[in-house]
Structures are given as structure tokens and as C-alpha cells.
Amino acid sequence: MSKRKGARTRKVRSSSKVRAKAGRSRIVVHHRTRANSKQARVLGLLSRPSGATIAAIMHSTGWQPHSVRGFLAAVVRKKLGLRLESEKTAGERVYRIVAGSTTADSAGQPSA
């Protein structure tokens, strides 16, 4: 006799993975941040007119450089939908959030 494979009980997958794949549309939702979190500190540094360097963000948060760059790409640009501008002055790259514009405003246009 052979065993039927379909008779086994199946594990129920968490619905978060299914929803994460299904909900990957480009809808911009502004999330609120906690007042005294690392995310709030980084957003405060980036909101200054002078902007912030990766070294300044590393010093403020204790993160590694690759973590700072990942935060800028994933959280600031994608999750929060903020437009991030970067420019290289005196050999260092300075990042700042451009006020009043989001990625939804400039859909299809790559940011610097």
C-alpha cells in the first residue's frame, strides 16, 4: 500500500508573507515616528537645511555605513515616501530631505 501525500496535515502559512507580496503597490502612506527614536533622529538630521552625511548619521545612531544607506533607501524613500536629495561637496556626500515634495509628486523621475 502506498501512503497518500494529500492526507498529511498542512502547515498554515502566516498571512503576512502573502499580504506582503500582494501589497507591493506604490501607494505612499505617511507613517508617524516616535519622538525619541533613531528614525526620528535621522529624519531630524536630514530635515536640516545643511543636511547630513553618512558619518553624522552613523555617529548619531551607532549604525554601520551599509545600514545607513539601506535606511535611506528603504525607509526614507520607499516606506515614508520622502524625496531624498544628495549632493557631493568637498569630497563628502550630503543627504537632505527636499521639503514639500514626495515620491508620489515626482512619479517616474529618479531622485539623485
Side-chain angles (χ1 to χ4, degrees):
M1 290 183 88
S2 64
K3 293 184 180 179
R4 291 184 359 210
K5 289 184 181 179
R8 291 189 222 163
T9 59
R10 296 182 186 200
K11 290 184 181 178
V12 178
R13 288 186 176 178
S14 66
S15 60
S16 62
K17 287 184 181 180
V18 174
R19 270 190 251 131
K21 289 182 181 178
R24 288 187 181 171
S25 62
R26 298 288 296 187
I27 298 171
V28 177
V29 178
H30 294 285
H31 298 277
R32 295 181 59 133
T33 59
R34 293 182 184 162
N36 194 18
S37 64
K38 289 182 182 181
Q39 180 174 335
R41 279 189 276 168
V42 172
L43 292 177
L45 290 172
L46 294 172
S47 298
R48 297 183 305 185
S50 60
T53 62
I54 288 182
I57 297 171
M58 285 172 51
H59 180 72
S60 174
T61 59
W63 293 340
Q64 296 293 317
H66 62 276
S67 299
V68 173
R69 288 190 296 269
F71 177 83
L72 295 177
V75 176
V76 176
R77 286 185 173 151
K78 292 181 182 176
K79 182 179 176 187
L80 297 177
L82 299 172
R83 183 161 178 237
L84 193 63
E85 178 183 88
S86 70
E87 65 181 55
K88 195 167 190 175
T89 55
E92 279 197 310
R93 187 159 298 278
V94 178
Y95 296 89
R96 72 179 55 86
I97 295 173
V98 179
S101 60
T102 62
T103 56
D105 295 339
S106 60
Q109 296 179 357
S111 59

